[in-house]
Amino acid sequence: MELNFKGDKLSVNLIDEGTGETVVVLHGWGARADLYRTVINPLVSHYRVIAPDFPGFGKSTEPSFPYSIEDYAEFVAALLKELGIDRAHLIGHSHGGRTALELATGNYGFEIGKIVLLDSAGIPVKKKLSKRIRIRTYKILKGVVTFAPVKKMFPDALDKLKKKFGSADYAAASDIMRQSMIKVLPCDYTNKLSDIKNPTLLIWGENDNDTPLSCAKVLEKGICDCGLVTIPKAGHFSFAQAPTLTANVLKSFFNIK
């Protein structure tokens, strides 16, 4: 579908299946909507499920400017408005979960029902010593390559340094999407969790290294109406590693017999 959003005419690829109350599924960074079939399929018999590719991912148009987390939330709100939807349940994985947290703690013009967070981002992760050393090394080298004489001699050195020290997602992204990543990564909803009154379900991989189980514990403690399901031995894509368990838990949470 076509969506005019903040000066961009976006072509938004989305899954729109089923009938009934709306459930919006928001994917993680670097992913796309059709990778979430194990989440979507158990719900479409009783709900209308909408799962868009975020701008710049999957088959959706890349934005003309770097998005903040507020922009991602406003995009979801604009999409729902275009579809004539004023109330929706939210399911978000990783970056999609971070977007769901922004939607739940802000005011974006539509009513939110239940919330499901799958290995969600949005809570800071305490860095290991090796990670802190890597960051410190990057900062030192960045100071060197941005020094005017060095920059003049090696104009592409900073970009190479970012690719070397950044994540695989960062290295694979375009310049605009890299800037978006830099904008959204520091988001911290720890102090806003008490604002969330919606029934909330957490589904988390026991061995998630990207958003560790400790993040889920913070969410569980901070959100008043919240339950946690831990998937043994699973990682950051726990829902895909345990599709049957995930489907059963979702059906129970959404009252599907």
Side-chain angles (χ1 to χ4, degrees), residues 129-198:
L129 177 60
S130 58
K131 181 69 171 180
R132 296 201 299 271
I133 292 173
R134 185 177 177 84
I135 292 172
R136 180 60 180 164
T137 302
Y138 168 74
K139 288 181 176 179
I140 292 171
L141 292 175
K142 181 181 178 182
V144 173
V145 300
T146 54
F147 184 56
V150 178
K151 186 176 181 180
K152 186 175 181 179
M153 293 175 62
F154 306 101
D156 61 344
L158 181 58
D159 188 56
K160 290 181 178 179
L161 185 69
K162 287 179 178 179
K163 287 183 178 180
K164 180 176 180 177
F165 280 84
S167 66
D169 284 339
Y170 184 90
S174 68
D175 185 57
I176 284 176
M177 299 309 292
R178 287 176 191 165
Q179 292 178 59
S180 295
M181 182 182 287
I182 291 169
K183 280 190 169 189
V184 303
L185 281 178
C187 293
D188 180 3
Y189 291 92
T190 305
N191 295 328
K192 296 182 179 181
L193 297 178
S194 60
D195 295 338
I196 301 175
K197 310 303 181 184
N198 313 71

Side-chain angles (χ1 to χ4, degrees), residues 2-255:
E2 298 297 322
L3 180 68
N4 292 314
F5 181 68
K6 295 194 172 186
D8 282 346
K9 187 175 182 180
L10 299 172
S11 175
V12 180
N13 183 62
L14 77 159
I15 294 168
D16 186 351
E17 297 176 0
T19 57
E21 294 181 38
T22 301
V23 178
V24 178
V25 178
L26 303 173
H27 66 74
W29 196 272
R32 61 183 191 270
D34 63 3
L35 298 178
Y36 291 77
R37 277 292 174 187
T38 55
V39 174
I40 295 167
N41 290 350
L43 302 176
V44 293
S45 61
H46 287 71
Y47 290 86
R48 179 184 182 185
V49 181
I50 295 171
D53 288 344
F54 278 125
F57 298 101
K59 297 179 181 178
S60 290
T61 309
E62 182 172 297
S64 64
F65 61 95
Y67 278 16
S68 64
I69 191 60
E70 292 82 5
D71 291 319
Y72 281 106
E74 288 173 18
F75 163 77
V76 174
L79 179 66
L80 293 182
K81 184 177 180 180
E82 183 71 16
L83 293 170
I85 297 167
D86 57 13
R87 186 180 189 277
H89 306 288
L90 300 178
I91 299 178
H93 170 242
S94 195
H95 170 64
R98 174 167 48 215
T99 305
L101 287 169
E102 173 61 28
L103 288 164
T105 55
N107 183 10
Y108 289 91
F110 70 95
E111 183 183 352
I112 297 172
K114 295 181 178 181
I115 299 171
V116 181
L117 301 175
L118 310 167
D119 298 285
S120 177
I123 302 298
V125 178
K126 187 175 180 180
K127 298 178 178 65
K128 296 180 181 178
L129 177 60
S130 58
K131 181 69 171 180
R132 296 201 299 271
I133 292 173
R134 185 177 177 84
I135 292 172
R136 180 60 180 164
T137 302
Y138 168 74
K139 288 181 176 179
I140 292 171
L141 292 175
K142 181 181 178 182
V144 173
V145 300
T146 54
F147 184 56
V150 178
K151 186 176 181 180
K152 186 175 181 179
M153 293 175 62
F154 306 101
D156 61 344
L158 181 58
D159 188 56
K160 290 181 178 179
L161 185 69
K162 287 179 178 179
K163 287 183 178 180
K164 180 176 180 177
F165 280 84
S167 66
D169 284 339
Y170 184 90
S174 68
D175 185 57
I176 284 176
M177 299 309 292
R178 287 176 191 165
Q179 292 178 59
S180 295
M181 182 182 287
I182 291 169
K183 280 190 169 189
V184 303
L185 281 178
C187 293
D188 180 3
Y189 291 92
T190 305
N191 295 328
K192 296 182 179 181
L193 297 178
S194 60
D195 295 338
I196 301 175
K197 310 303 181 184
N198 313 71
T200 303
L201 169 66
L202 311 175
I203 300 178
W204 228 270
E206 178 186 26
N207 298 329
D208 187 339
N209 292 320
D210 295 302
T211 54
L213 192 57
S214 59
C215 296
K217 299 292 186 181
V218 173
L219 290 164
E220 184 183 26
K221 182 179 179 180
I223 300 172
C224 61
D225 186 2
C226 186
L228 169 62
V229 174
T230 303
I231 298 182
K233 300 181 181 180
H236 190 54
F237 285 79
S238 59
F239 63 92
Q241 290 178 267
T244 302
L245 175 58
T246 299
N248 290 337
V249 171
L250 288 174
K251 286 179 178 179
S252 176
F253 187 62
F254 284 103
N255 300 313

